[in-house]
């Protein structure tokens, strides 16, 4: 990542909006933003599939669900944050499983790049299907889009929900409903 170029660009933006990038309070902002971009765009040029390791656990063929994986991303349309939670489930086949932390790493890798929520949901589901070769995958992403809150329609209580179902969860509504019930069990949704 080209830190110097980012710093110069941020200084130019500050000047373009009528600010003085050298004034107290802003003088270190370009460097801070460049450092922040290095952190929040860690997923750029990384393959999501590299986040998952597969191992075989002979008895593991029942539902695996991880809910409430928090994420932060930047909408590629306005470079304004969107954030929320990812819930994902898969039904292993042939005992092929991965570590729970690897699933959270997958979410992080996909989220840490300029992104769209719809694409993020699809990439997570497709990557799990490709690498784990399960009977099925179901992913739900719930997010707040600050581009809807801070600008434009200014809807402060709006939540966006996207989902992707693959395999058994696309074909069998009972399997899909089981996942939805487990995700929202004990919640007032």
């Amino acid at each position: 990542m080209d830190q110097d170029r980012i710093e110069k660009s941020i200084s130019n933006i500050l000047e373009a909006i009528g600010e003085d990038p050298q004034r107290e309070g802003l003088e270190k902002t370009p460097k801070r933003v460049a450092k922040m971009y290095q952190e929040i765009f860690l997923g750029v040029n990384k393959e999501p599939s590299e986040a998952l390791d597969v191992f075989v656990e002979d008895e593991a063929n029942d539902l695996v669900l991880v809910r409430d994986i928090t994420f932060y991303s930047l909408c590629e349309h306005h470079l304004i944050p969107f954030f929320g939670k990812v819930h994902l489930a898969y039904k292993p086949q042939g005992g092929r499983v991965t570590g729970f932390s690897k699933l959270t790493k997958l979410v992080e890798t996909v989220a840490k790049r300029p992104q769209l929520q719809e694409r993020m949901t699809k990439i997570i589901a497709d990557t799990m299907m490709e690498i784990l070769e399960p009977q099925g995958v179901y992913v739900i992403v719930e997010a707040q889009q600050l581009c809807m809150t801070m600008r434009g329609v200014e809807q402060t209580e709006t939540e966006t929900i996207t989902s992707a179902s693959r395999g058994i969860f696309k074909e069998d509504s009972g399997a899909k409903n089981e996942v939805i019930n487990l995700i929202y069990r004990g919640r007032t949704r």
Side-chain angles (χ1 to χ4, degrees):
M1 193 169 291
D2 190 338
Q3 297 286 344
D4 290 336
R5 192 168 171 193
I6 294 169
E7 287 181 39
K8 288 175 189 166
S9 297
I10 297 303
S11 288
N12 288 336
I13 289 170
L14 290 169
E15 286 176 0
I17 65 170
E19 273 289 355
D20 174 8
Q22 299 304 314
R23 81 165 167 82
E24 188 178 347
L26 285 180
E27 62 193 41
K28 294 181 182 173
T29 296
K31 187 174 282 308
R32 284 189 208 107
V33 172
K35 187 176 180 182
M36 175 191 69
Y37 277 7
Q38 189 169 19
E39 183 180 327
I40 65 176
F41 290 129
L42 280 174
V44 173
N45 298 321
K46 282 190 179 178
E47 284 299 317
S49 59
E50 293 173 8
L52 298 179
D53 291 330
V54 177
F55 59 92
V56 177
E57 182 62 43
D58 292 332
E59 302 298 318
N61 290 307
D62 294 317
L63 178 68
V64 175
L65 168 69
V66 181
R67 68 181 192 180
D68 296 333
I69 301 169
T70 58
F71 77 90
Y72 301 88
S73 192
L74 258 67
C75 174
E76 68 183 38
H77 292 159
H78 299 100
L79 293 182
I80 295 177
F82 70 98
F83 59 94
K85 295 181 179 182
V86 174
H87 316 288
L88 50 83
Y90 72 100
K91 189 144 188 198
Q93 182 164 260
R96 292 175 56 88
V97 295
T98 191
F100 299 135
S101 66
K102 299 299 184 182
L103 294 169
T104 61
K105 192 69 167 167
L106 170 62
V107 170
E108 180 180 89
T109 300
V110 175
K112 289 197 174 214
R113 58 179 71 178
Q115 193 57 273
L116 296 175
Q117 182 176 338
E118 298 90 338
R119 183 185 317 118
M120 180 176 149
T121 307
K122 179 186 181 314
I123 290 171
I124 293 168
D126 290 345
T127 302
M128 290 175 66
M129 282 298 288
E130 176 190 341
I131 302 302
L132 299 176
E133 301 174 3
Q135 295 175 55
V137 167
Y138 191 51
V139 177
I140 296 175
V141 178
E142 301 174 343
Q144 288 192 329
Q145 303 277 341
L146 290 187
C147 61
M148 290 178 57
T149 303
M150 296 173 60
R151 55 162 305 280
V153 295
E154 297 183 12
Q155 292 294 308
T156 59
E157 300 297 319
T158 303
E159 181 177 56
T160 56
I161 300 173
T162 52
S163 70
S165 54
R166 306 286 186 267
I168 192 171
F169 299 111
K170 189 173 190 101
E171 301 155 5
D172 181 349
S173 61
K176 188 179 205 173
N177 287 335
E178 177 187 9
V179 171
I180 292 169
N181 289 334
L182 287 169
I183 289 170
Y184 297 110
R185 182 181 68 201
R187 299 179 183 187
T188 58
R189 288 190 140 286

